């Protein structure tokens, strides 16, 4: 009968599993969880895994490690121009040597488009910049905006004459729906 067949099947399945199997599985999972905890691979907040889930590119150095947890601008591409390389190691007294185009040093005064870009990067952001005369400025805010503001500071945005820097009238933060951020400025009375 079907009842006897079902009873026989269940009895066979139960007898096939050793009594210690569930305990062994629990111990193995506990040891694995401890190893993951030691390597700080367990997250307490789901938002951390959600953020990691939307990552499409992970940038690492040549050893494959994430070292500084910072972003930086390495190449500037302006319309109708060859790519401009950004030198990440910069001497404070030689700000003109920050940019190289086709392996030749490039100054802001030689390239008006680059100068305008540096002014835009220095004005259009939501990053908080700590202004200390003795140490390098501390930047607080979005990583992408911090990288661009850092580029403008390294290029000498703060040392530009006041008449060259437009007055900010209004600022709209980045909106992911529109994929846009905007800053309204007054330049030369306009």
């Amino acid at each position: 009968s079907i009842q006897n067949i079902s009873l026989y099947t269940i009895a066979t399945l139960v007898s096939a599993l050793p009594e210690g199997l569930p305990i062994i599985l629990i111990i193995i999972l506990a040891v694995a969880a401890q190893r993951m905890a030691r390597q700080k691979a367990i997250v307490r907040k789901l938002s951390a895994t959600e953020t990691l889930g939307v990552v499409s590119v992970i940038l690492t150095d040549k050893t494959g490690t994430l070292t500084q947890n910072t972003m930086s601008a390495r190449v500037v591409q302006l319309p109708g121009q060859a790519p401009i390389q950004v030198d990440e190691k910069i001497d404070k007294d030689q700000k003109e040597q920050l940019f190289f185009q086709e392996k030749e040093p490039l100054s802001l005064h030689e390239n008006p488009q680059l100068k305008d870009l540096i002014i835009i990067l220095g004005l259009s952001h939501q990053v908080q910049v700590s202004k200390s005369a003795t140490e390098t400025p501390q930047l607080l805010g979005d990583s992408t905006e911090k990288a661009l503001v850092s580029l403008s500071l390294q290029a000498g945005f703060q040392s530009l004459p006041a008449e060259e820097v437009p007055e900010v009238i209004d600022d709209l933060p980045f909106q992911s729906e529109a994929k846009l951020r905007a800053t309204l400025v007054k330049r030369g009375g306009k």
Side-chain angles (χ1 to χ4, degrees):
S1 80
I2 293 191
Q3 187 177 13
N4 286 339
I5 292 173
S6 301
L7 186 61
Y8 178 75
T9 304
I10 292 171
T12 306
L13 286 174
V14 169
S15 66
L17 292 175
E19 291 178 13
L21 183 62
I23 296 170
I24 292 170
L25 286 175
I26 290 170
I27 291 171
I28 290 172
L29 291 174
V31 169
Q34 282 182 334
R35 286 184 184 167
M36 289 172 60
R38 269 188 247 125
Q39 295 177 0
K40 298 183 181 178
I42 296 176
V43 295
R44 290 187 181 146
K45 295 182 182 176
L46 186 59
S47 62
T49 56
E50 289 173 350
T51 302
L52 190 57
V54 297
V55 170
S56 58
V57 176
I58 297 177
L59 303 174
T60 62
D61 65 5
K62 62 186 174 190
T63 62
T65 59
L66 300 171
T67 54
Q68 294 181 341
N69 194 24
T70 60
M71 293 175 72
S72 62
R74 303 295 304 267
V75 177
V76 174
Q77 182 65 62
L78 296 170
Q81 295 188 26
I84 299 170
Q85 303 298 320
V86 179
D87 185 8
E88 66 180 276
K89 295 178 183 171
I90 180 167
D91 185 353
K92 290 181 181 179
D93 298 329
Q94 297 180 342
K95 291 192 183 337
E96 303 298 325
Q97 302 304 310
L98 177 63
F99 301 107
F100 293 88
Q101 192 171 36
E102 296 176 344
K103 298 184 181 181
E104 293 294 321
L106 181 66
S107 113
L108 289 180
H109 306 293
E110 296 170 2
N111 192 323
Q113 281 184 316
L114 180 60
K115 186 175 184 179
D116 285 344
L117 175 68
I118 295 304
I119 291 171
I120 291 168
L121 294 178
L123 294 176
S124 184
H125 61 82
Q126 293 289 314
V127 174
Q128 294 178 355
V129 181
S130 68
K131 296 178 180 166
S132 172
T134 57
E135 51 186 62
T136 57
Q138 296 297 315
L139 306 176
L140 299 171
D142 178 69
S143 298
T144 304
E145 286 192 350
K146 285 185 343 187
L148 298 175
V149 170
S150 176
L151 176 62
S152 75
L153 293 174
Q154 287 178 353
F157 170 74
Q158 290 179 320
S159 62
L160 288 174
E163 60 272 2
E164 292 184 22
V165 179
E167 174 190 349
V168 175
I169 297 170
D170 196 9
D171 189 60
L172 301 173
F174 180 77
Q175 297 175 353
S176 56
E177 301 84 31
K179 296 183 176 148
L180 167 77
R181 84 164 327 285
T183 302
L184 180 62
V185 297
K186 183 177 182 181
R187 181 179 231 176
K190 299 178 186 178

